[in-house]
Amino acid sequence: MADLIKPVSSGLDITTLKQPFLPDSSNASLPTGGDSLLFDLNVFYEPGDIAWVIMSTALVLLMIPGVGFFYSGLARRKSALSLLWLSVMSTAVISFQWFFWGYSLAFSHKAGKFIGNLDNFGLRNVLAAPSVGTPRIPDLLFCIYQGMFACITVALAVGAVAERGRMLPCIIYMFIWSTLIYDPIACWTWNPHGWIYQKGGLDFAGGTPVHIASGCAALAYSYMLGKRRGHGTQELNYRPHNVTHIVIGTVFLWVGWFGFNAGSALSANLRAVMAALVTNLAACVGGVTWCLVDYRLERKWSTVGFCSGIIAGLVAITPGSGYVPPWAAVIFGVCGGVACNYATKLKYFLRCDDALDIFAVHAVGGFIGNILTAFFAADYIAHLDGYTVIEGGWINHHWVQLGYQIADSVCGGCYSFVGTCIILGCIDGLGKFLPIFKLRATEEEEILGIDDVEIGEFAYDYVELTRDVKSPDDIDGTSLHSLERQHSHMGGHEKNHDSVDSSGQLADWAHRV
C-alpha cells in the first residue's frame, strides 16, 4: 500500500498513494478512470487478478471450438463442417457486436433495470475505471472477458440450425439476437442496476443468460425451421457420425469451463479456487450418472452418454459455482445428469426436431442449476473472495431465495423463446420477398448437405473415403473413373453407413418434382 503512482511525465511533481478508486478521487471523475499520460493506471489493480482474468478469457474462447466439435460429431457427415463454421463465425460476429454496442447495453455504469444505455458505444471511455462487476479489475478487462460469454452463448444456440438451416440468415440472427435477447438478460442478471440483481437473484456464471437463454432460443429456432427431411422415419438416422469429435469437443469444453466458472470470481482468490473445484466435481459426477442411467436400459457404456453427462453436470453447476460448498456439487452433478438425460425425450412430447438436444442439456440443466442454487448457496462460500455478502439459500434459512431463482429462470427462458420466434419470423418473412433471407434450405439442398451447398468444402475427403471402403469391382462393374465423375457431379458427397445415399435421395426428389 506504500507504493507510489509515478507520473509518466518527469516534469510533473505528482505523488499519490496506491489505493482503490474512491468516489471523490480525481481519477474517478474521469469516465476512463484516469489520464494514462499522467499516471500509471496499472497500480490500482493487482497483477495477479488481471493475469487470472486474461487467462480465463482465453479459456472461455477455447470453449467455442469445443462446442463446434461437439455439435459436429453429433450431426451427420454431410453437415459436419457447417456446425464448426457457425461456431467459429459466432465469435467473429458477436465480438464486433460487443464492441459496437453490446457491452454498453449490458454493462454500462448507468444502466436501467432491464437494459443499459449507449454511454460506451464503440467502447467509448472503456479503459481503466473499475468495472461494474468488481472494483478489482478495470472496465477494459471486464469487457473482453464478458465478451467471450456473449460469444459462447450464441455458439450454443446456433446448433439448432443443424442439417437444414441456411447460413446468411443465421449470421444476421446472431447479431440481432445478441442485441435484443442476450444483452438485456445479462444486464438484469449481472449489472448492479438490473432487476434480478437488485432482487437478490444468484447466478454466478450464467445459468440464465447463457444456458437457459441459449437452450430456449435453440428450441424456438428448431420450431421455426421445422423438422429435418425424413424425421421420424428410418430414413433419418440419429447416430452421431464421429464420436471422436464429441470427445474432443467435451475436453475443450471441460477445460474451458474452469475459466468460465472460476474466472467469474473476477479475481485470483479462494472463491475462484472453490468454483474450480465444484465445477470439476459436478462434471465428473454428471458424466458417471448419465452413463449409469443409459446402462440401465442399453447395457452399454456409452461414450456419447458420458460426454453428454459431463456437459450436463457443467451446465448445472454454472449458476451455483461461486456459492455452494463441495459436497453440494455431487448433488448438482447427479440431478443435472438425470434431469438432462430424461429431458432428451421432451422433444418427442413437444413435437420438435431439436437435433442436438440443446434445450434438454442447456435450458433444463440451467434451470436445475438455478433451483439447486436456491437450496445450497452458502454465505460463507460467497465471502471467500473477502467482500461478497449474500443472504444465502435454504441452508442459511433464506427461504425466499427459491422464488427469486424461479422468477429469474422463467422470465429469462420465456423472454428468449418468444423473442427468438419474433426475430426469426421477421427474417423469414423478409425471405418471402428476398429468398436469400429464407431460414431453411430447400429440400434439394438438404439432401446434398449444408457443407456442399453453403460452404463448398467438407469435413472429410469423400472420394478418398469411398476408394478406401469400396473397390471398383464391388460396385457392379462401375469403373473408378465413372465413380469419380459421379462424386464430382454430386459435389463430393458420399454414401456412408450413417446417412442415406445422397444420389438416391436426389434422384427420388427429382422424380417427385
Side-chain angles (χ1 to χ4, degrees):
M1 294 296 291
D3 294 340
L4 298 179
I5 302 177
K6 298 180 180 178
V8 176
S9 174
S10 59
L12 294 175
D13 185 17
I14 300 175
T15 56
T16 306
L17 288 176
K18 178 181 177 182
Q19 58 185 355
F21 284 91
L22 300 175
D24 59 347
S25 69
S26 59
N27 280 314
S29 64
L30 297 176
T32 58
D35 188 343
S36 62
L37 292 174
L38 301 179
F39 298 95
D40 178 6
L41 301 178
N42 296 284
V43 299
F44 290 104
Y45 303 102
E46 293 294 336
D49 293 341
I50 290 180
W52 168 238
V53 178
I54 289 176
M55 182 183 296
S56 296
T57 301
L59 288 172
V60 178
L61 176 61
L62 181 67
M63 296 172 67
I64 296 172
V67 170
F69 276 112
F70 191 89
Y71 285 171
S72 173
L74 285 172
R76 287 185 290 180
R77 194 174 273 127
K78 62 183 179 180
S79 296
L81 186 61
S82 64
L83 291 169
L84 278 166
W85 189 93
L86 283 170
S87 296
V88 178
M89 177 58 71
S90 67
T91 307
V93 173
I94 303 307
S95 292
F96 174 77
Q97 187 272 351
W98 199 245
F99 153 80
F100 188 70
W101 60 21
Y103 179 69
S104 190
L105 292 175
F107 294 109
S108 55
H109 289 260
K110 297 179 182 178
K113 290 185 177 181
F114 299 97
I115 195 168
N117 56 32
L118 293 178
D119 284 352
N120 302 121
F121 177 83
L123 298 190
R124 176 174 173 268
N125 292 328
V126 176
L127 190 61
S131 70
V132 297
T134 176
R136 293 175 178 266
I137 63 171
D139 265 338
L140 191 62
L141 180 54
F142 187 67
C143 172
I144 181 63
Y145 179 65
Q146 285 294 337
M148 292 300 104
F149 275 64
C151 294
I152 187 66
T153 303
V154 173
L156 290 171
V158 298
V161 308
E163 303 185 356
R164 79 270 202 201
R166 298 179 65 244
M167 290 185 170
L168 178 60
C170 186
I171 293 172
I172 298 170
Y173 160 81
M174 291 177 187
F175 191 95
I176 298 173
W177 187 88
S178 188
T179 300
L180 299 181
I181 307 300
Y182 178 79
D183 293 343
I185 297 178
C187 179
W188 80 49
T189 303
W190 288 323
N191 195 306
H193 298 283
W195 70 276
I196 284 294
Y197 188 101
Q198 292 187 343
K199 283 288 185 183
L202 301 178
D203 193 337
F204 190 66
T208 299
V210 177
H211 297 297
I212 292 179
S214 63
C216 291
L219 182 68
Y221 212 138
S222 298
Y223 271 122
M224 296 300 289
L225 281 176
K227 298 176 181 178
R228 288 170 291 172
R229 183 179 184 276
H231 182 271
T233 70
Q234 72 278 5
E235 184 177 339
L236 183 60
N237 195 311
Y238 285 102
R239 287 194 307 169
H241 93 277
N242 192 322
V243 178
T244 302
H245 274 189
I246 296 174
V247 175
I248 292 172
T250 301
V251 171
F252 279 15
L253 285 165
W254 197 344
V255 172
W257 227 289
F258 282 88
F260 194 78
N261 285 357
S264 292
L266 301 177
S267 180
N269 54 42
L270 280 174
R271 195 180 187 195
V273 177
M274 180 62 75
L277 189 152
V278 298
T279 295
N280 185 65
L281 183 57
C284 296
V285 174
V288 172
T289 299
W290 191 303
C291 251
L292 291 174
V293 172
D294 279 356
Y295 185 82
R296 177 179 60 88
L297 299 174
E298 305 291 339
R299 292 295 186 268
K300 300 289 185 182
W301 299 105
S302 170
T303 304
V304 176
F306 179 65
C307 292
S308 299
I310 289 172
I311 304 303
L314 290 168
V315 170
I317 196 60
T318 292
S321 53
Y323 298 113
V324 302
W327 57 265
V330 176
I331 300 174
F332 276 77
V334 171
C335 292
V338 172
C340 294
N341 184 293
Y342 282 101
T344 58
K345 311 300 187 296
L346 283 175
K347 61 187 176 186
Y348 304 112
F349 175 76
L350 297 173
R351 299 180 182 276
C352 175
D353 185 12
D354 183 7
L356 307 178
D357 289 320
I358 303 171
F359 177 78
V361 174
H362 293 279
V364 174
F367 181 79
I368 293 297
N370 277 351
I371 300 305
L372 292 177
T373 300
F375 289 108
F376 301 110
D379 52 4
Y380 73 96
I381 297 294
H383 199 64
L384 284 173
D385 59 11
Y387 61 91
T388 298
V389 177
I390 64 170
E391 295 184 81
W394 280 28
I395 64 174
N396 289 127
H397 308 294
H398 187 230
W399 316 115
V400 74
Q401 191 62 49
L402 180 60
Y404 297 153
Q405 298 301 104
I406 292 175
D408 180 24
S409 303
V410 172
C411 290
C414 291
Y415 180 71
S416 178
F417 181 85
V418 174
T420 300
C421 288
I422 294 173
I423 293 168
L424 292 174
C426 292
I427 295 174
D428 202 40
L430 185 61
K432 294 180 180 179
F433 306 98
L434 298 171
I436 195 172
F437 293 109
K438 288 188 68 65
L439 295 179
R440 178 158 182 159
T442 65
E443 188 175 4
E444 177 185 7
E445 292 170 340
E446 188 178 350
I447 291 170
L448 289 172
I450 301 301
D451 291 359
D452 189 353
V453 173
E454 293 279 327
I455 300 179
E457 298 167 342
F458 307 95
Y460 309 92
D461 187 334
Y462 296 130
V463 174
E464 293 303 322
L465 178 66
T466 307
R467 286 173 177 168
D468 290 340
V469 173
K470 293 185 177 182
S471 66
D473 296 335
D474 294 332
I475 315 178
D476 298 328
T478 302
S479 69
L480 183 60
H481 180 64
S482 64
L483 181 63
E484 289 175 339
R485 287 205 314 270
Q486 175 189 355
H487 278 274
S488 175
H489 177 69
M490 293 302 298
H493 191 74
E494 88 289 17
K495 179 176 181 179
N496 64 79
H497 70 279
D498 64 350
S499 63
V500 181
D501 177 30
S502 293
S503 59
Q505 288 185 351
L506 188 59
D508 177 65
W509 175 85
H511 175 74
R512 287 187 286 108
V513 171

PDB file of all heavy atoms in Angstrom, residues 288-312:
ATOM      1  N   VAL A 288     -20.726 -39.744 -14.931  1.00  0.00           N
ATOM      2  CA  VAL A 288     -20.970 -41.097 -14.411  1.00  0.00           C
ATOM      3  C   VAL A 288     -22.469 -41.352 -14.283  1.00  0.00           C
ATOM      4  O   VAL A 288     -22.963 -42.440 -14.624  1.00  0.00           O
ATOM      5  CB  VAL A 288     -20.265 -41.271 -13.051  1.00  0.00           C
ATOM      6  CG1 VAL A 288     -20.670 -42.592 -12.411  1.00  0.00           C
ATOM      7  CG2 VAL A 288     -18.749 -41.196 -13.222  1.00  0.00           C
ATOM      8  N   THR A 289     -23.203 -40.365 -13.818  1.00  0.00           N
ATOM      9  CA  THR A 289     -24.653 -40.532 -13.638  1.00  0.00           C
ATOM     10  C   THR A 289     -25.344 -40.813 -14.963  1.00  0.00           C
ATOM     11  O   THR A 289     -26.161 -41.735 -15.064  1.00  0.00           O
ATOM     12  CB  THR A 289     -25.250 -39.260 -13.002  1.00  0.00           C
ATOM     13  OG1 THR A 289     -24.653 -39.046 -11.721  1.00  0.00           O
ATOM     14  CG2 THR A 289     -26.751 -39.399 -12.840  1.00  0.00           C
ATOM     15  N   TRP A 290     -25.036 -40.034 -15.992  1.00  0.00           N
ATOM     16  CA  TRP A 290     -25.668 -40.241 -17.302  1.00  0.00           C
ATOM     17  C   TRP A 290     -25.334 -41.632 -17.827  1.00  0.00           C
ATOM     18  O   TRP A 290     -26.188 -42.327 -18.378  1.00  0.00           O
ATOM     19  CB  TRP A 290     -25.194 -39.171 -18.274  1.00  0.00           C
ATOM     20  CG  TRP A 290     -25.957 -39.104 -19.569  1.00  0.00           C
ATOM     21  CD1 TRP A 290     -26.136 -40.102 -20.482  1.00  0.00           C
ATOM     22  CD2 TRP A 290     -26.656 -37.963 -20.092  1.00  0.00           C
ATOM     23  NE1 TRP A 290     -26.867 -39.669 -21.551  1.00  0.00           N
ATOM     24  CE2 TRP A 290     -27.213 -38.363 -21.342  1.00  0.00           C
ATOM     25  CE3 TRP A 290     -26.836 -36.666 -19.652  1.00  0.00           C
ATOM     26  CZ2 TRP A 290     -27.949 -37.479 -22.143  1.00  0.00           C
ATOM     27  CZ3 TRP A 290     -27.569 -35.780 -20.451  1.00  0.00           C
ATOM     28  CH2 TRP A 290     -28.121 -36.192 -21.670  1.00  0.00           C
ATOM     29  N   CYS A 291     -24.085 -42.043 -17.649  1.00  0.00           N
ATOM     30  CA  CYS A 291     -23.667 -43.370 -18.101  1.00  0.00           C
ATOM     31  C   CYS A 291     -24.484 -44.472 -17.427  1.00  0.00           C
ATOM     32  O   CYS A 291     -24.928 -45.429 -18.065  1.00  0.00           O
ATOM     33  CB  CYS A 291     -22.180 -43.576 -17.789  1.00  0.00           C
ATOM     34  SG  CYS A 291     -21.119 -43.574 -19.241  1.00  0.00           S
ATOM     35  N   LEU A 292     -24.662 -44.339 -16.130  1.00  0.00           N
ATOM     36  CA  LEU A 292     -25.415 -45.348 -15.383  1.00  0.00           C
ATOM     37  C   LEU A 292     -26.878 -45.389 -15.795  1.00  0.00           C
ATOM     38  O   LEU A 292     -27.475 -46.470 -15.902  1.00  0.00           O
ATOM     39  CB  LEU A 292     -25.299 -45.073 -13.882  1.00  0.00           C
ATOM     40  CG  LEU A 292     -23.921 -45.299 -13.258  1.00  0.00           C
ATOM     41  CD1 LEU A 292     -23.914 -44.851 -11.803  1.00  0.00           C
ATOM     42  CD2 LEU A 292     -23.519 -46.769 -13.367  1.00  0.00           C
ATOM     43  N   VAL A 293     -27.465 -44.225 -16.045  1.00  0.00           N
ATOM     44  CA  VAL A 293     -28.869 -44.179 -16.480  1.00  0.00           C
ATOM     45  C   VAL A 293     -29.007 -44.867 -17.838  1.00  0.00           C
ATOM     46  O   VAL A 293     -29.950 -45.638 -18.066  1.00  0.00           O
ATOM     47  CB  VAL A 293     -29.373 -42.730 -16.545  1.00  0.00           C
ATOM     48  CG1 VAL A 293     -30.766 -42.666 -17.185  1.00  0.00           C
ATOM     49  CG2 VAL A 293     -29.421 -42.120 -15.150  1.00  0.00           C
ATOM     50  N   ASP A 294     -28.071 -44.625 -18.751  1.00  0.00           N
ATOM     51  CA  ASP A 294     -28.127 -45.275 -20.058  1.00  0.00           C
ATOM     52  C   ASP A 294     -27.847 -46.770 -19.962  1.00  0.00           C
ATOM     53  O   ASP A 294     -28.480 -47.581 -20.656  1.00  0.00           O
ATOM     54  CB  ASP A 294     -27.100 -44.630 -20.999  1.00  0.00           C
ATOM     55  CG  ASP A 294     -27.604 -43.339 -21.619  1.00  0.00           C
ATOM     56  OD1 ASP A 294     -28.781 -42.989 -21.367  1.00  0.00           O
ATOM     57  OD2 ASP A 294     -26.833 -42.668 -22.332  1.00  0.00           O
ATOM     58  N   TYR A 295     -26.903 -47.149 -19.104  1.00  0.00           N
ATOM     59  CA  TYR A 295     -26.554 -48.563 -18.973  1.00  0.00           C
ATOM     60  C   TYR A 295     -27.733 -49.371 -18.456  1.00  0.00           C
ATOM     61  O   TYR A 295     -27.925 -50.536 -18.835  1.00  0.00           O
ATOM     62  CB  TYR A 295     -25.363 -48.727 -18.032  1.00  0.00           C
ATOM     63  CG  TYR A 295     -24.873 -50.156 -17.931  1.00  0.00           C
ATOM     64  CD1 TYR A 295     -24.024 -50.676 -18.899  1.00  0.00           C
ATOM     65  CD2 TYR A 295     -25.277 -50.978 -16.883  1.00  0.00           C
ATOM     66  CE1 TYR A 295     -23.578 -51.992 -18.829  1.00  0.00           C
ATOM     67  CE2 TYR A 295     -24.842 -52.295 -16.796  1.00  0.00           C
ATOM     68  CZ  TYR A 295     -23.999 -52.798 -17.770  1.00  0.00           C
ATOM     69  OH  TYR A 295     -23.564 -54.098 -17.701  1.00  0.00           O
ATOM     70  N   ARG A 296     -28.548 -48.755 -17.632  1.00  0.00           N
ATOM     71  CA  ARG A 296     -29.726 -49.434 -17.081  1.00  0.00           C
ATOM     72  C   ARG A 296     -30.652 -49.928 -18.189  1.00  0.00           C
ATOM     73  O   ARG A 296     -31.301 -50.969 -18.068  1.00  0.00           O
ATOM     74  CB  ARG A 296     -30.481 -48.457 -16.174  1.00  0.00           C
ATOM     75  CG  ARG A 296     -31.768 -48.983 -15.571  1.00  0.00           C
ATOM     76  CD  ARG A 296     -32.389 -47.927 -14.684  1.00  0.00           C
ATOM     77  NE  ARG A 296     -32.687 -46.716 -15.424  1.00  0.00           N
ATOM     78  CZ  ARG A 296     -33.832 -46.500 -16.077  1.00  0.00           C
ATOM     79  NH1 ARG A 296     -34.766 -47.442 -16.092  1.00  0.00           N
ATOM     80  NH2 ARG A 296     -34.046 -45.376 -16.704  1.00  0.00           N
ATOM     81  N   LEU A 297     -30.675 -49.197 -19.300  1.00  0.00           N
ATOM     82  CA  LEU A 297     -31.574 -49.558 -20.395  1.00  0.00           C
ATOM     83  C   LEU A 297     -30.858 -50.280 -21.526  1.00  0.00           C
ATOM     84  O   LEU A 297     -31.388 -51.228 -22.093  1.00  0.00           O
ATOM     85  CB  LEU A 297     -32.237 -48.287 -20.952  1.00  0.00           C
ATOM     86  CG  LEU A 297     -33.098 -47.481 -19.968  1.00  0.00           C
ATOM     87  CD1 LEU A 297     -33.563 -46.187 -20.609  1.00  0.00           C
ATOM     88  CD2 LEU A 297     -34.285 -48.308 -19.492  1.00  0.00           C
ATOM     89  N   GLU A 298     -29.653 -49.846 -21.870  1.00  0.00           N
ATOM     90  CA  GLU A 298     -28.976 -50.338 -23.055  1.00  0.00           C
ATOM     91  C   GLU A 298     -27.931 -51.411 -22.769  1.00  0.00           C
ATOM     92  O   GLU A 298     -27.491 -52.106 -23.685  1.00  0.00           O
ATOM     93  CB  GLU A 298     -28.291 -49.167 -23.790  1.00  0.00           C
ATOM     94  CG  GLU A 298     -29.230 -48.010 -24.134  1.00  0.00           C
ATOM     95  CD  GLU A 298     -30.230 -48.384 -25.203  1.00  0.00           C
ATOM     96  OE1 GLU A 298     -29.954 -49.356 -25.947  1.00  0.00           O
ATOM     97  OE2 GLU A 298     -31.276 -47.716 -25.298  1.00  0.00           O
ATOM     98  N   ARG A 299     -27.496 -51.500 -21.508  1.00  0.00           N
ATOM     99  CA  ARG A 299     -26.403 -52.399 -21.138  1.00  0.00           C
ATOM    100  C   ARG A 299     -25.135 -52.106 -21.935  1.00  0.00           C
ATOM    101  O   ARG A 299     -24.372 -52.994 -22.305  1.00  0.00           O
ATOM    102  CB  ARG A 299     -26.827 -53.871 -21.319  1.00  0.00           C
ATOM    103  CG  ARG A 299     -27.888 -54.334 -20.343  1.00  0.00           C
ATOM    104  CD  ARG A 299     -27.362 -54.319 -18.911  1.00  0.00           C
ATOM    105  NE  ARG A 299     -28.303 -54.877 -17.953  1.00  0.00           N
ATOM    106  CZ  ARG A 299     -29.219 -54.182 -17.267  1.00  0.00           C
ATOM    107  NH1 ARG A 299     -29.290 -52.870 -17.466  1.00  0.00           N
ATOM    108  NH2 ARG A 299     -30.025 -54.767 -16.415  1.00  0.00           N
ATOM    109  N   LYS A 300     -24.917 -50.802 -22.235  1.00  0.00           N
ATOM    110  CA  LYS A 300     -23.726 -50.344 -22.939  1.00  0.00           C
ATOM    111  C   LYS A 300     -23.179 -49.127 -22.201  1.00  0.00           C
ATOM    112  O   LYS A 300     -23.924 -48.289 -21.699  1.00  0.00           O
ATOM    113  CB  LYS A 300     -24.048 -49.944 -24.389  1.00  0.00           C
ATOM    114  CG  LYS A 300     -24.635 -51.057 -25.242  1.00  0.00           C
ATOM    115  CD  LYS A 300     -23.606 -52.116 -25.572  1.00  0.00           C
ATOM    116  CE  LYS A 300     -24.196 -53.161 -26.521  1.00  0.00           C
ATOM    117  NZ  LYS A 300     -23.232 -54.244 -26.815  1.00  0.00           N
ATOM    118  N   TRP A 301     -21.838 -49.041 -22.152  1.00  0.00           N
ATOM    119  CA  TRP A 301     -21.194 -47.882 -21.520  1.00  0.00           C
ATOM    120  C   TRP A 301     -20.947 -46.833 -22.606  1.00  0.00           C
ATOM    121  O   TRP A 301     -19.877 -46.772 -23.193  1.00  0.00           O
ATOM    122  CB  TRP A 301     -19.903 -48.290 -20.833  1.00  0.00           C
ATOM    123  CG  TRP A 301     -20.115 -49.286 -19.739  1.00  0.00           C
ATOM    124  CD1 TRP A 301     -19.844 -50.616 -19.775  1.00  0.00           C
ATOM    125  CD2 TRP A 301     -20.663 -49.021 -18.442  1.00  0.00           C
ATOM    126  NE1 TRP A 301     -20.178 -51.210 -18.581  1.00  0.00           N
ATOM    127  CE2 TRP A 301     -20.680 -50.250 -17.737  1.00  0.00           C
ATOM    128  CE3 TRP A 301     -21.126 -47.868 -17.801  1.00  0.00           C
ATOM    129  CZ2 TRP A 301     -21.153 -50.364 -16.443  1.00  0.00           C
ATOM    130  CZ3 TRP A 301     -21.605 -47.975 -16.508  1.00  0.00           C
ATOM    131  CH2 TRP A 301     -21.607 -49.208 -15.838  1.00  0.00           C
ATOM    132  N   SER A 302     -21.937 -46.033 -22.864  1.00  0.00           N
ATOM    133  CA  SER A 302     -21.924 -45.112 -23.989  1.00  0.00           C
ATOM    134  C   SER A 302     -20.913 -43.972 -23.802  1.00  0.00           C
ATOM    135  O   SER A 302     -20.948 -43.251 -22.801  1.00  0.00           O
ATOM    136  CB  SER A 302     -23.323 -44.518 -24.192  1.00  0.00           C
ATOM    137  OG  SER A 302     -23.296 -43.457 -25.114  1.00  0.00           O
ATOM    138  N   THR A 303     -20.038 -43.799 -24.785  1.00  0.00           N
ATOM    139  CA  THR A 303     -19.114 -42.664 -24.770  1.00  0.00           C
ATOM    140  C   THR A 303     -19.866 -41.354 -24.952  1.00  0.00           C
ATOM    141  O   THR A 303     -19.588 -40.357 -24.278  1.00  0.00           O
ATOM    142  CB  THR A 303     -18.075 -42.812 -25.900  1.00  0.00           C
ATOM    143  OG1 THR A 303     -17.407 -44.070 -25.767  1.00  0.00           O
ATOM    144  CG2 THR A 303     -17.057 -41.682 -25.858  1.00  0.00           C
ATOM    145  N   VAL A 304     -20.829 -41.347 -25.880  1.00  0.00           N
ATOM    146  CA  VAL A 304     -21.632 -40.147 -26.104  1.00  0.00           C
ATOM    147  C   VAL A 304     -22.418 -39.802 -24.842  1.00  0.00           C
ATOM    148  O   VAL A 304     -22.534 -38.625 -24.467  1.00  0.00           O
ATOM    149  CB  VAL A 304     -22.593 -40.344 -27.294  1.00  0.00           C
ATOM    150  CG1 VAL A 304     -23.491 -39.127 -27.474  1.00  0.00           C
ATOM    151  CG2 VAL A 304     -21.803 -40.616 -28.572  1.00  0.00           C
ATOM    152  N   GLY A 305     -22.934 -40.826 -24.164  1.00  0.00           N
ATOM    153  CA  GLY A 305     -23.665 -40.590 -22.930  1.00  0.00           C
ATOM    154  C   GLY A 305     -22.778 -39.993 -21.844  1.00  0.00           C
ATOM    155  O   GLY A 305     -23.183 -39.070 -21.127  1.00  0.00           O
ATOM    156  N   PHE A 306     -21.550 -40.515 -21.730  1.00  0.00           N
ATOM    157  CA  PHE A 306     -20.630 -39.982 -20.728  1.00  0.00           C
ATOM    158  C   PHE A 306     -20.308 -38.521 -21.009  1.00  0.00           C
ATOM    159  O   PHE A 306     -20.323 -37.679 -20.101  1.00  0.00           O
ATOM    160  CB  PHE A 306     -19.350 -40.817 -20.713  1.00  0.00           C
ATOM    161  CG  PHE A 306     -18.324 -40.345 -19.721  1.00  0.00           C
ATOM    162  CD1 PHE A 306     -18.569 -40.383 -18.359  1.00  0.00           C
ATOM    163  CD2 PHE A 306     -17.110 -39.831 -20.159  1.00  0.00           C
ATOM    164  CE1 PHE A 306     -17.626 -39.939 -17.446  1.00  0.00           C
ATOM    165  CE2 PHE A 306     -16.159 -39.380 -19.254  1.00  0.00           C
ATOM    166  CZ  PHE A 306     -16.424 -39.437 -17.892  1.00  0.00           C
ATOM    167  N   CYS A 307     -20.027 -38.201 -22.281  1.00  0.00           N
ATOM    168  CA  CYS A 307     -19.720 -36.807 -22.645  1.00  0.00           C
ATOM    169  C   CYS A 307     -20.928 -35.906 -22.415  1.00  0.00           C
ATOM    170  O   CYS A 307     -20.779 -34.776 -21.918  1.00  0.00           O
ATOM    171  CB  CYS A 307     -19.283 -36.746 -24.105  1.00  0.00           C
ATOM    172  SG  CYS A 307     -17.684 -37.532 -24.431  1.00  0.00           S
ATOM    173  N   SER A 308     -22.112 -36.387 -22.753  1.00  0.00           N
ATOM    174  CA  SER A 308     -23.321 -35.587 -22.530  1.00  0.00           C
ATOM    175  C   SER A 308     -23.535 -35.333 -21.048  1.00  0.00           C
ATOM    176  O   SER A 308     -23.946 -34.231 -20.644  1.00  0.00           O
ATOM    177  CB  SER A 308     -24.539 -36.306 -23.120  1.00  0.00           C
ATOM    178  OG  SER A 308     -24.406 -36.492 -24.513  1.00  0.00           O
ATOM    179  N   GLY A 309     -23.240 -36.336 -20.219  1.00  0.00           N
ATOM    180  CA  GLY A 309     -23.383 -36.172 -18.778  1.00  0.00           C
ATOM    181  C   GLY A 309     -22.397 -35.171 -18.208  1.00  0.00           C
ATOM    182  O   GLY A 309     -22.725 -34.410 -17.285  1.00  0.00           O
ATOM    183  N   ILE A 310     -21.186 -35.157 -18.740  1.00  0.00           N
ATOM    184  CA  ILE A 310     -20.201 -34.163 -18.308  1.00  0.00           C
ATOM    185  C   ILE A 310     -20.714 -32.753 -18.581  1.00  0.00           C
ATOM    186  O   ILE A 310     -20.669 -31.863 -17.716  1.00  0.00           O
ATOM    187  CB  ILE A 310     -18.855 -34.395 -19.017  1.00  0.00           C
ATOM    188  CG1 ILE A 310     -18.189 -35.662 -18.474  1.00  0.00           C
ATOM    189  CG2 ILE A 310     -17.931 -33.193 -18.854  1.00  0.00           C
ATOM    190  CD1 ILE A 310     -16.949 -36.071 -19.237  1.00  0.00           C
ATOM    191  N   ILE A 311     -21.231 -32.542 -19.791  1.00  0.00           N
ATOM    192  CA  ILE A 311     -21.769 -31.219 -20.138  1.00  0.00           C
ATOM    193  C   ILE A 311     -22.954 -30.878 -19.245  1.00  0.00           C
ATOM    194  O   ILE A 311     -23.087 -29.737 -18.767  1.00  0.00           O
ATOM    195  CB  ILE A 311     -22.181 -31.169 -21.616  1.00  0.00           C
ATOM    196  CG1 ILE A 311     -21.004 -31.549 -22.523  1.00  0.00           C
ATOM    197  CG2 ILE A 311     -22.706 -29.787 -21.974  1.00  0.00           C
ATOM    198  CD1 ILE A 311     -19.776 -30.698 -22.348  1.00  0.00           C
ATOM    199  N   ALA A 312     -23.819 -31.860 -18.977  1.00  0.00           N
ATOM    200  CA  ALA A 312     -24.976 -31.610 -18.121  1.00  0.00           C
ATOM    201  C   ALA A 312     -24.537 -31.193 -16.716  1.00  0.00           C
ATOM    202  O   ALA A 312     -25.106 -30.274 -16.112  1.00  0.00           O
ATOM    203  CB  ALA A 312     -25.856 -32.854 -18.058  1.00  0.00           C
TER     204      ALA A 312
END
